[in-house]
Amino acid sequence: MDLDSFASMLASQMNRPAVPIRQQLDTLKRLGIRLTPEQEEGFLSQSARYEDPAYAAILTELGAADSDQVYAFDAEVTQRSTMYRDLIGALLRLTGGELDLQDVRESGENADLEGPGGTWRVSFTLNGHPYQYDADFLGDWLDVNVLVFLNSTLEKEKIKKRFLTVDDFNIQGVVVFFRTPEWGRFFSAGTQLAVKGC
């Protein structure tokens, strides 16, 4: 993305109007996001906290609640030695068992642990086929391009769903869904949030 495109995206995100909490919840439900009565009541009881910026706080909160629908994480990790296994394990919860992704391993033998620099190898099997990704080693930070790599393996395996990410500067960290690209376009149209991976 060039600087002009980035500036345009940022301006559109900064000027997005507040959206009433009831409208946000209704939109998310129409998109198939399940909410418990307790969650819905909690959002409604603190509506000002969730209305501006629209959808950002709701999605982050839902994704941090051990959900099987959305996962929210900060790219800064506390356990570097298992950072990608932990991430992939959390992403697999979103799949409801649809993926046969196994034998997740990672190795920092090519990483400059004092750097950061070098690479951190992530490998796994998907549908019995081996895959590996050399993530940029960023110290205590995940190389979130691993999601792009995971999506490329899904495409190679002819799996229709993807790990879709919400791209919005109002969201600290990363919000991920495991849905079809078509759903991602509906989500983007309904929420006015940019979605990557579709």
Side-chain angles (χ1 to χ4, degrees), residues 58-69:
I58 290 177
L59 292 172
T60 302
E61 194 166 311
L62 287 173
D66 201 27
S67 169
D68 63 351
Q69 305 177 89

Side-chain angles (χ1 to χ4, degrees), residues 59-129:
L59 292 172
T60 302
E61 194 166 311
L62 287 173
D66 201 27
S67 169
D68 63 351
Q69 305 177 89
V70 57
Y71 176 56
F73 67 94
D74 193 323
E76 186 174 17
V77 298
T78 57
Q79 193 64 279
R80 179 166 53 191
S81 64
T82 60
M83 60 185 161
Y84 291 99
R85 280 181 287 174
D86 295 343
L87 173 64
I88 291 171
L91 293 173
L92 285 176
R93 282 195 300 272
L94 296 177
T95 70
E98 288 184 46
L99 296 184
D100 181 21
L101 193 151
Q102 299 179 17
D103 199 26
V104 180
R105 298 172 190 235
E106 58 188 292
S107 167
E109 66 185 42
N110 294 321
D112 175 3
L113 300 178
E114 303 300 318
T119 60
W120 194 273
R121 175 151 297 162
V122 182
S123 62
F124 56 87
T125 62
L126 178 60
N127 294 338
H129 300 118

Side-chain angles (χ1 to χ4, degrees), residues 10-177:
L10 192 59
S12 71
Q13 291 177 4
M14 291 177 67
N15 295 323
R16 208 171 47 235
V19 176
I21 188 68
R22 171 51 60 201
Q23 182 180 336
Q24 290 182 60
L25 296 174
D26 290 345
T27 298
L28 292 175
K29 287 193 282 187
R30 276 194 306 279
L31 289 163
I33 304 296
R34 298 178 314 277
L35 299 168
T36 66
E38 295 80 19
Q39 286 173 319
E40 197 164 339
E41 184 179 311
F43 292 134
L44 289 169
S45 70
Q46 299 179 31
S47 61
R49 178 175 169 213
Y50 298 105
E51 290 180 349
D52 189 23
Y55 299 99
I58 290 177
L59 292 172
T60 302
E61 194 166 311
L62 287 173
D66 201 27
S67 169
D68 63 351
Q69 305 177 89
V70 57
Y71 176 56
F73 67 94
D74 193 323
E76 186 174 17
V77 298
T78 57
Q79 193 64 279
R80 179 166 53 191
S81 64
T82 60
M83 60 185 161
Y84 291 99
R85 280 181 287 174
D86 295 343
L87 173 64
I88 291 171
L91 293 173
L92 285 176
R93 282 195 300 272
L94 296 177
T95 70
E98 288 184 46
L99 296 184
D100 181 21
L101 193 151
Q102 299 179 17
D103 199 26
V104 180
R105 298 172 190 235
E106 58 188 292
S107 167
E109 66 185 42
N110 294 321
D112 175 3
L113 300 178
E114 303 300 318
T119 60
W120 194 273
R121 175 151 297 162
V122 182
S123 62
F124 56 87
T125 62
L126 178 60
N127 294 338
H129 300 118
Y131 291 95
Q132 70 181 27
Y133 176 69
D134 287 327
D136 289 333
F137 179 65
L138 305 170
D140 293 336
W141 293 83
L142 288 162
D143 173 359
V144 294
N145 287 321
V146 72
L147 293 164
V148 174
F149 176 74
L150 285 169
N151 282 337
S152 74
T153 66
L154 297 175
E155 187 173 355
K156 285 178 187 171
E157 296 292 330
K158 308 227 182 300
I159 296 167
K160 292 184 180 189
K161 291 184 178 177
R162 300 287 182 270
F163 292 106
L164 307 177
T165 59
V166 176
D167 191 20
D168 191 274
F169 87 98
N170 290 303
I171 298 175
Q172 180 180 342
V174 181
V175 172
V176 184
F177 296 97

